[in-house]
Each structure stands twice: as C-alpha cells, then as structure tokens.
Amino acid sequence: MQKAIDAALLAPNSSNMQTWDIYWVRSPEARERLAIACMNQGAARTAQEIIVVTANGADWRPRRDAVLKEPYVQGRPDMVDYYSKLMPMIYGFQWLAPVKWIAINVAGIFRPMPREVWCWRDRRETSVKSAALACENFMLAIAAQGFDTCPMEGLDSSRVRKIIGCPRSATIVMAISVGERTERGIWGERFRLPRSQVVHEI
Ligand SMILES: Cc1cc2nc3c(=O)[nH]c(=O)nc-3n(C[C@H](O)[C@H](O)[C@H](O)COP(=O)(O)O)c2cc1C
C-alpha cells in the first residue's frame, strides 16, 4: 500500500499543483461505514484495504505555495511568474469568471488559448483529471505487486465525504478497494468497443 500510494503521488498532474488527496481508510468502523456508502458492493465489503481519492482545486493556494518554494522553481524567473501570476489567475479570482471568459475568448480569436481555465467547474475538471491519473498509478502499482483493485464511483459521495472528513470543496473522485480477486468477483469476459469506433486517425 505504501509503495502504491507513493506511485500515485508521482502521477503526472496539471501544472504540478497536486490538488489531490488520498484517504486510506484503515479503522474497521470507518471501513464498515465506507462499504455501506459504496452501495454495499462486494468489492468494497470484502476489500483488504480501501482508499478514497479526492480532488480539490479550491485548495490550490497552499499547494501552489509549496511548489513555488522549491529550488527548481525559484531558480527560474519564468517559473516563478508561472506560479505566482498565472496559477492565481486560473485557480483563483473565481468572482472574475465572466471577465476571464470574455478575455480568453476574445484573445482566442487571434491566437491559441487554453479555453477551460476560467470558472470553478474548469478548476474542478482539471483537478479530477490529475487525481484520476493518480488512481491509475495506484492501481498499476498494486497490480505490479500481484494484487487486485476495483475502482468505484458507485458510491454515495455525501456519506463518503462525512466518513473521510474531507472539505466540502473536495470532489470524491473514486474509492479504490485492494485485495485478491475471486472468480466470483469478475463480472465476465473483458469487452472493449472495436478500435474502429473509438480510435480516429485524422
Ligand atoms: C471511474 C470508474 C468508476 C468505476 N466504478 C465501479 C464501481 O462502482 N463498481 C465496480 O464494480 N466497478 C467500477 N468500475 C470498474 C469498471 O466497471 C470496469 O473498469 C469496466 O467495466 C471495464 O472492465 P475491466 O476494467 O475489467 O476491463 C469503475 C471504473 C472506473 C474507471
């Protein structure tokens, strides 16, 4: 678990802002409540271990501050600007969202502009993308050690939030159970849509 959590935290993430949190639910009492909040799914009920991954773009400031202090940033004026000026424009100033939207779309007429950086929903989406990559890193690291995982979004986020005690601003990305698979736990043959339907060569 420790190795897999370390691997999760090495996931690529947007601007290295690391707006994710991992809650490793270890107390039997909390685990029991969490399994129920995960709709009592077998994968949650029978798990040996379980984590919940959250994304919280609203908590950007302390994370940005930590990155900004790093020598690799401090040694580069362009990176200092990036974290001290651009990141607050993207993650902060939510009350200026309509102004940001207009500015981005007007500038976008003349040159390429990242469009999804103006409102709280974009901030959440960015954070969720990065947190999901952390989830995948975690699952691959568990698999590399010969164990199995089940990612779960079939859960009651309101109840899960209370159990783990995360801030209201955080989004529950998914719970991930860890253990050894049983044959009964496999739904069926692996199926994927044909490549021709989902892979597009332009
Ligand atoms: C974001 C996400 C949420 C998921 N939620 C659940 C879940 O609540 N319960 C479950 O049994 N599987 C869940 N899964 C697993 C998927 O059902 C599974 O990956 C998919 O059916 C494909 O099967 P395969 O990964 O075994 O090929 C989830 C997967 C992801 C990525």
Side-chain angles (χ1 to χ4, degrees), residues 41 43 150-154 174 187 190 192:
Q41 298 190 50
C150 183
M152 289 172 282
E153 64 182 346
M174 64 187 93
W187 296 116
R190 218 159 193 204
R192 287 296 187 268

Side-chain angles (χ1 to χ4, degrees), residues 56-199:
N56 192 359
D59 192 37
W60 63 275
R61 199 179 285 276
R63 296 156 200 253
R64 185 286 309 262
D65 290 350
V67 181
L68 188 52
K69 279 198 205 110
E70 277 301 294
Y72 84 93
V73 173
Q74 283 298 318
R76 295 258 315 261
D78 55 337
M79 288 189 77
V80 171
D81 272 0
Y82 186 87
Y83 284 105
S84 58
K85 296 188 180 139
L86 187 61
M87 287 303 105
M89 277 314 294
I90 292 175
Y91 283 86
F93 299 107
Q94 295 293 305
W95 49 278
L96 275 179
V99 178
K100 288 200 262 180
W101 185 85
I102 292 168
I104 286 164
N105 282 288
V106 170
I109 297 170
F110 305 102
R111 62 186 173 97
M113 287 292 291
R115 307 282 171 144
E116 288 79 24
V117 290
W118 57 276
C119 74
W120 65 268
R121 225 179 283 113
D122 297 328
R123 179 172 79 178
R124 183 179 68 184
E125 212 166 87
T126 295
S127 304
V128 169
K129 280 184 212 172
S130 296
L133 291 180
C135 292
E136 179 72 338
N137 266 20
F138 176 84
M139 291 190 281
L140 290 174
I142 292 287
Q145 295 173 86
F147 291 92
D148 299 296
T149 55
C150 183
M152 289 172 282
E153 64 182 346
L155 49 77
D156 178 332
S157 59
S158 172
R159 284 187 164 78
V160 171
R161 194 183 295 285
K162 282 199 193 103
I163 296 163
I164 63 175
C166 70
R168 283 189 64 79
S169 54
T171 301
I172 308 289
V173 177
M174 64 187 93
I176 305 175
S177 61
V178 179
E180 284 178 272
R181 74 175 75 183
T182 64
E183 281 315 309
R184 247 171 17 96
I186 314 284
W187 296 116
E189 285 296 302
R190 218 159 193 204
F191 165 74
R192 287 296 187 268
L193 298 170
R195 280 176 67 113
S196 58
Q197 194 174 340
V198 293
V199 180

